[in-house]
Amino acid sequence: MTALLRYQSALLLRSQRWLAPFFLYAAFVAVGIQPGEPALDSLGYAAAGLVPSAVWLVRICVTGEPDAARDCAAAAAGPVRVHAAALLTGLGGALLAGAAGAAVALLLGDRAGLDPAATALAGALAVAVCALTGAAVGALCSRPLVRRRGYGVLAGTLGSLLAWVLAPSPARGAVSALVTGARSGTVPLPWTSLAGALLLAGAAGAVACLAAVRRGG
C-alpha cells in the first residue's frame, strides 16, 4: 500500500492539477481570515473551506490516471487497493492544506482567554472532520460511481453545499461547535463529529472501492 500511495502522490504532484484546489483554498483563507478575529471563528472558517477543496482533490486523484495505467496497477495490486490509494492521497492533500489554513487562523486569531493546546486541538479536529467529509463526497462523486465529468463536478458542488448546510453533516457540526465556542468563550472538542466523519468516509470509500471491483476501476 505504501508503494501505491507514493505512486499516487507522484502522479498528483507531476500533474500539477493540485494547484487549482490549493490556490482556491488559499484564497478562501486569505479573504476570510482577518487579524484579531476570534481564533475559534477563524479555525471554523478555515475548516469549512476545506470541504470543496477535499472533494476536488479526491476527484483529481481518482480520475487523473490514464485508463491503461490504472488497469495495469489494478491487475498487479488489485482494484480495491489502487482505488483506496487514490482516495487516501486526495485526503492527505486536503489534510495538508487544512493544517496550513489552521496554522494561519491560530497565528492571526485572537486567542485571549483560551487554552492554546485545547484551541489547537479543536482546530485540528475540525480540519480532520471537514477533510474526511469532503473526501467522502469526492469518493461518491467520482468514477466508478459517476463516470461523466460534468455530472461529477455538479454532484461534487451540490455535495459540498449539503455538507455545509445539512444538520446531520459532521462538517457542519464541527464548524458550528467552534463558532458557538467563540461566542461562549469555551473551547469545544468535536469528537462526535469526528466519529461521524470517519464513519461517513469509511462507508463512502467502501462503496467506491466495491464499485471499482465490479466495474473494473
Side-chain angles (χ1 to χ4, degrees), residues 18-140:
W18 58 271
L19 290 172
F22 270 76
F23 281 142
L24 173 67
Y25 181 67
F28 186 88
V29 170
V31 171
I33 296 179
Q34 303 299 324
E37 292 184 349
L40 291 176
D41 269 347
S42 297
L43 286 169
Y45 186 88
L50 200 58
V51 174
S53 296
V55 174
W56 198 347
L57 280 168
V58 166
R59 277 192 49 79
I60 288 172
C61 292
V62 170
T63 62
E65 191 177 9
D67 289 339
R70 186 177 181 86
D71 290 342
C72 290
V80 171
R81 297 179 68 192
V82 171
H83 199 76
L87 296 176
L88 289 173
T89 301
L91 173 62
L95 288 171
L96 287 175
V104 171
L106 287 171
L107 288 173
L108 298 181
D110 180 11
R111 291 170 287 160
L114 301 176
D115 179 68
T119 303
L121 178 58
L125 291 175
V127 163
V129 169
C130 290
L132 286 165
T133 303
V137 174
L140 296 176

